[in-house]
Amino acid sequence: MSTPRDSFSSKFGVIAAAAGSAIGLGNIWKFPYIAGENGGGVFLLVYLIFIVLVGIPVMMAEFIIGRRAHQNVFGAFRTLSKSRRWRIVGIMGVLAAFFILSFYGTVASWTIEFLTLAVKNSFEGQSAEQIATMFNNFSSSTWKPLIYHLVFMAMTAIIVIGGIEKGIEKYTKILMPLLVVIILYLDINAVSLKGGFEGIKFLFFPDFTKLTPTLFIDALGHSFFTLSLGMGVLLTYASYFKKDTNLTNTSISVATADTIIALLAGVAIFPAVFAFNTEPTAGPGLVFITLPNIFEQMPGGYIFSILFFLLLGVAALTSSISILEVVVAYLAEEHKISRTKATIIASSAIFATGVLCTLSFGPLKNVHIFNWTIFDALDKIASNILLPLGGMFISLFVGWKLNKRIVFGELTNYAGIKIKFFNLFLFITRYLAPISIFIVFLNGIGILKF
Ligand code: PHE
């Protein structure tokens, strides 16, 4: 490949873009709802263990492959290995991107609706039940969610057509720190709610009787989802990294920022869940039916609710562009079509599947795939199967297949940095990460019982 590629302009730009991909609906919408479904504290504990032991090393592995190959996920494996087998990672990655962006757009459409409700001051004076009804009425209707979903996909496509530098960097740098400030303010208000402390206990004190095989697979799947791992997003981003980007530090910074935001979101949501007597197991609508109750009561709630849903939308966009980028880079570079054309094809096809996800809360709610709604099925298949397996192969590739000198070279920037953990890293990528992924996976689908 001799086409000139874009690259990120600054060190902060690199971290901001990777963090922008990682931080999204996964942290603020998905983490609380799936922690809530899996018993709170014990889920958090298992999830944190996976982030450290599997997530960070797999992220480093993606960075190593991407920066070394300078290619999209297909091209990367083609360049670095003669064997065709590894292309399975590319295939699974493109499929996962397709599925994830389909249901991501549905949640983004709820975010847009809640932004308009915030602007219209519709939460004022509403009870918790009334807010839940607002959510249910909207998500189960047909046209408005579809239109908002389309708007979101169109915005994603427009940014991706703009290219890496102009498109992605600009949006991430200023707005994510602002989001953190707003969530912190929400936290303060949530914790001071009457009865709110129950929520903190729920989130931070593990109840080990809640441990199930599903919890392990959900925690593993979510650690991949929230870090944007296992499908080549960060691999593709790393192909735009510069020679002096420190891959280890970048992985740790991204994972830390991502985890902090998820925790801050949890600290906002669970106290409110207990204070307003909603159920932690409410499912995908949890954040939407919970947070407006806090806005409704707190000083400056009107302004903050607008800012919150606006920035949640932006966080969703900086993630969705990274997902679309995987498919676009693949189409453009492997099939030699223009970026614009690739983006239009990919986003239209994804939107078509997304329509089914959005309608699965309304007209299609009785359509089931393996007992799940279409929305849940795409989420579970992508997050709990495709991403962990992709991560397992990526880890094995770096541990066993890639020349050790290359792995060492990428981690040290070819002698620019000193490292002491190389053997530990090899041990994790060769054994610990792939084996634990495999066991959790077999256990989760019921083949292995422990
Ligand atoms: N990590 C993103 C989030 O938490 C979602 C995502 C998943 C993005 C997979 C890219 C790849 O919202």
Side-chain angles (χ1 to χ4, degrees):
M1 292 292 299
S2 55
T3 42
R5 293 173 61 91
D6 288 342
S7 73
F8 290 107
S9 65
S10 67
K11 184 166 159 242
F12 187 64
V14 170
I15 299 178
S21 167
I23 297 162
L25 296 171
N27 307 64
I28 294 161
W29 156 76
K30 196 172 174 190
F31 169 73
Y33 111 67
I34 149 169
E37 284 183 337
N38 283 294
V42 63
F43 176 88
L44 176 63
L45 184 70
V46 176
Y47 158 80
L48 289 177
I49 294 173
F50 282 138
I51 295 274
V52 175
L53 286 188
V54 182
I56 293 176
V58 171
M59 194 185 300
M60 290 163 69
E62 282 207 26
F63 284 169
I64 291 170
I65 300 173
R67 187 173 62 178
R68 173 69 189 190
H70 259 261
Q71 303 252 334
N72 70 80
V73 43
F74 268 90
F77 285 100
R78 186 164 29 71
T79 318
L80 298 178
S81 156
K82 282 190 215 65
S83 150
R84 292 174 143 265
R85 290 193 283 235
W86 298 102
R87 290 190 201 168
I88 180 83
V89 180
I91 296 168
M92 292 193 327
V94 171
L95 204 64
F98 209 94
F99 286 5
I100 292 176
L101 197 46
S102 299
F103 72 81
Y104 217 74
T106 302
V107 184
S109 79
W110 304 340
T111 309
I112 299 178
E113 167 70 2
F114 272 63
L115 173 61
T116 64
L117 290 174
V119 171
K120 289 188 287 193
N121 205 7
S122 309
F123 305 131
E124 187 163 280
Q126 302 292 313
S127 68
E129 291 85 70
Q130 285 168 318
I131 290 172
T133 307
M134 280 182 194
F135 174 78
N136 292 331
N137 286 348
F138 175 78
S139 60
S140 63
S141 59
T142 304
W143 290 107
K144 223 166 151 202
L146 285 182
I147 292 167
Y148 289 169
H149 190 148
L150 180 65
V151 168
F152 179 77
M153 278 306 294
M155 291 197 291
T156 304
I158 289 167
I159 300 174
V160 168
I161 291 174
I164 289 297
E165 283 242 281
K166 286 181 263 103
I168 298 171
E169 244 183 278
K170 198 167 81 188
Y171 296 87
T172 321
K173 282 190 205 168
I174 321 152
L175 296 175
M176 289 305 104
L178 191 59
L179 179 64
V180 175
V181 173
I182 292 175
I183 303 178
L184 270 174
Y185 182 58
L186 260 172
D187 284 348
I188 298 170
N189 284 281
V191 179
S192 41
L193 288 169
K194 212 163 127 258
F197 189 68
E198 279 308 303
I200 297 295
K201 280 209 301 222
F202 178 80
L203 180 61
F204 290 105
F205 292 95
D207 169 0
F208 289 100
T209 61
K210 298 270 166 63
L211 273 181
T212 60
T214 327
L215 182 148
F216 278 98
I217 187 95
D218 276 353
L220 181 73
H222 187 62
S223 64
F224 276 88
F225 182 88
T226 192
L227 294 179
S228 305
L229 286 181
M231 58 181 250
V233 161
L234 295 182
L235 189 156
T236 307
Y237 270 22
S239 73
Y240 306 108
F241 283 3
K242 292 190 168 161
K243 284 199 205 69
D244 62 356
T245 304
N246 183 326
L247 301 185
T248 311
N249 290 354
T250 306
S251 308
I252 295 173
S253 311
V254 170
T256 308
D258 188 82
T259 306
I260 290 175
I261 301 221
L263 289 176
L264 290 178
V267 172
I269 285 155
F270 288 109
V273 166
F274 284 83
F276 297 104
N277 269 325
T278 39
E279 285 300 320
T281 52
L286 184 71
V287 176
F288 295 93
I289 63 178
T290 312
L291 290 185
N293 293 302
I294 317 182
F295 292 127
E296 207 262 322
Q297 299 204 341
M298 73 191 208
Y302 174 67
I303 295 294
F304 279 96
S305 64
I306 297 175
L307 280 174
F308 174 81
F309 286 111
L310 185 68
L311 293 180
L312 181 59
V314 173
L317 261 179
T318 56
S319 299
S320 65
I321 51 184
S322 76
I323 305 174
L324 187 57
E325 178 68 29
V326 172
V327 187
V328 169
Y330 159 67
L331 287 177
E333 294 182 12
E334 298 294 298
H335 296 277
K336 310 266 180 295
I337 54 179
S338 74
R339 264 187 83 86
T340 309
K341 209 163 154 194
T343 309
I344 292 170
I345 295 173
S347 53
S348 315
I350 291 169
F351 177 68
T353 322
V355 168
L356 302 177
C357 291
T358 292
L359 295 184
S360 77
F361 285 85
L364 299 182
K365 71 167 171 291
N366 293 322
V367 179
H368 286 101
I369 308 174
F370 313 120
N371 266 329
W372 290 310
T373 60
I374 302 172
F375 177 95
D376 282 338
L378 292 194
D379 179 11
K380 300 284 182 198
I381 294 170
S383 311
N384 292 1
I385 300 176
L386 295 171
L387 298 185
L389 288 187
M392 185 179 82
F393 288 127
I394 287 168
S395 181
L396 289 171
F397 186 81
V398 167
W400 295 101
K401 179 81 192 169
L402 204 57
N403 188 313
K404 295 294 117 348
R405 261 179 316 211
I406 294 182
V407 177
F408 190 77
E410 287 298 328
L411 289 178
T412 55
N413 289 350
Y414 297 90
I417 322 168
K418 287 202 174 50
I419 58 169
K420 293 200 195 92
F421 55 80
F422 189 61
N423 286 330
L424 176 66
F425 178 73
L426 276 189
F427 172 75
I428 294 179
T429 50
R430 286 185 163 179
Y431 305 103
L432 188 74
I435 293 174
S436 42
I437 293 171
F438 202 58
I439 292 176
V440 170
F441 180 72
L442 292 184
N443 184 44
I445 55 177
I447 293 181
L448 200 83
K449 289 256 177 278
F450 64 80

